[in-house]
C-alpha cells in the first residue's frame, strides 16, 4: 500500500469534516467540542491540552479545565479527528478525518514542528514484527526525533 493521498481539509471544511466524522460514530458535536477542535486546528505545531485550554478559556472568557480538554482530545483521537504526538504529549488536528491509517511523525527538536507522514507499508511491517513476537498490536507509534529541514 505504501504512501497514499487523501483530501486535506482546512478552515471551515476541516471543522465540517470533523463534525461529520464524529456524528457518524454516534457522538455529539457540542459547542465545547467545537471550540476545542477549532483551537486545536489553529495551532501549526503540536499543542498540549494546557495550550488549548488557555486559548479556549481566553476566547470564552471563562476557565476551561485542562482535564476536560484531555477527555475531549482522547475522544478526538479515538475518532480520528486528532493525532497524538506521544513524545511531546501534544496533539494535532487531523486534516483528513475519516481516513484511517497509522501515522508517522517527524518531530523537530529545535522548533517543535511535527511533520505527519503516511506510509502504511512501514506501519504494516511494525505490526508484522509485533505479531511475530506474539504481541497483539493496537496502534503502532512511530516518531522520529531530529532537526527539520527549516532548522537544519
Amino acid at each position: 500500500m505504501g504512501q497514499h493521498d487523501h483530501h486535506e481539509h482546512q478552515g471551515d471544511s476541516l471543522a465540517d469534516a470533523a463534525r461529520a466524522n464524529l456524528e457518524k460514530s454516534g457522538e455529539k458535536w457540542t459547542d465545547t467540542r467545537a471550540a476545542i477542535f477549532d483551537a486545536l486546528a489553529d495551532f501549526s505545531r503540536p499543542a498540549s491540552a494546557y495550550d488549548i485550554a488557555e486559548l479556549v478559556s481566553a476566547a470564552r472568557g471563562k476557565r476551561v479545565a485542562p482535564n476536560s480538554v484531555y477527555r475531549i482530545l482522547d475522544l478526538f483521537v479515538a475518532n480520528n479527528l486528532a493525532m497524538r504526538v506521544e513524545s511531546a504529549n501534544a496533539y494535532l488536528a487531523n486534516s483528513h478525518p475519516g481516513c484511517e491509517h497509522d501515522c508517522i511523525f517527524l518531530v523537530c527538536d529545535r522548533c517543535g514542528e511535527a511533520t505527519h507522514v503516511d506510509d502504511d507499508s512501514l506501519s504494516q511491517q511494525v505490526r508484522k514484527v509485533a505479531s511475530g513476537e506474539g504481541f497483539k498490536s493496537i496502534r503502532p507509534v512511530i516518531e522520529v526525533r531530529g532537526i527539520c529541514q527549516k532548522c537544519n
Side-chain angles (χ1 to χ4, degrees):
M1 187 174 210
Q3 295 179 341
H4 62 272
D5 295 319
H6 33 242
H7 181 73
E8 300 284 332
H9 295 276
Q10 296 177 343
D12 289 342
S13 169
L14 176 57
D16 291 345
R19 178 182 188 150
N21 199 55
L22 189 65
E23 289 176 343
K24 185 172 130 184
S25 72
E27 295 287 343
K28 293 184 182 198
W29 186 258
T30 65
D31 289 342
T32 301
R33 290 175 180 177
I36 289 171
F37 186 83
D38 289 344
L40 176 63
D42 282 345
F43 284 93
S44 61
R45 290 187 172 86
S48 72
Y50 291 90
D51 296 332
I52 296 164
E54 186 176 308
L55 192 64
V56 174
S57 294
R60 289 186 153 192
K62 66 179 185 174
R63 184 179 179 277
V64 175
N67 62 347
S68 297
V69 174
Y70 272 119
R71 281 194 297 276
I72 292 171
L73 289 171
D74 287 344
L75 176 72
F76 288 170
V77 169
N79 286 281
N80 204 28
L81 308 183
M83 302 170 289
R84 184 168 188 257
V85 180
E86 303 283 339
S87 63
N89 192 24
Y91 300 82
L92 289 166
N94 185 353
S95 62
H96 43 88
C99 180
E100 293 188 22
H101 54 85
D102 300 315
C103 297
I104 301 166
F105 289 108
L106 309 176
V107 183
C108 181
D109 288 329
R110 286 196 185 145
C111 69
E113 189 165 314
T115 302
H116 168 221
V117 178
D118 297 325
D119 188 336
D120 292 332
S121 63
L122 179 60
S123 59
Q124 286 172 356
Q125 184 62 28
V126 171
R127 286 178 185 275
K128 183 178 174 183
V129 168
S131 178
E133 293 294 321
F135 187 80
K136 183 178 178 187
S137 177
I138 302 299
R139 179 181 60 96
V141 175
I142 305 171
E143 297 181 5
V144 178
R145 303 290 307 222
I147 308 299
C148 73
Q149 189 174 13
K150 289 184 280 183
C151 292
N152 193 6

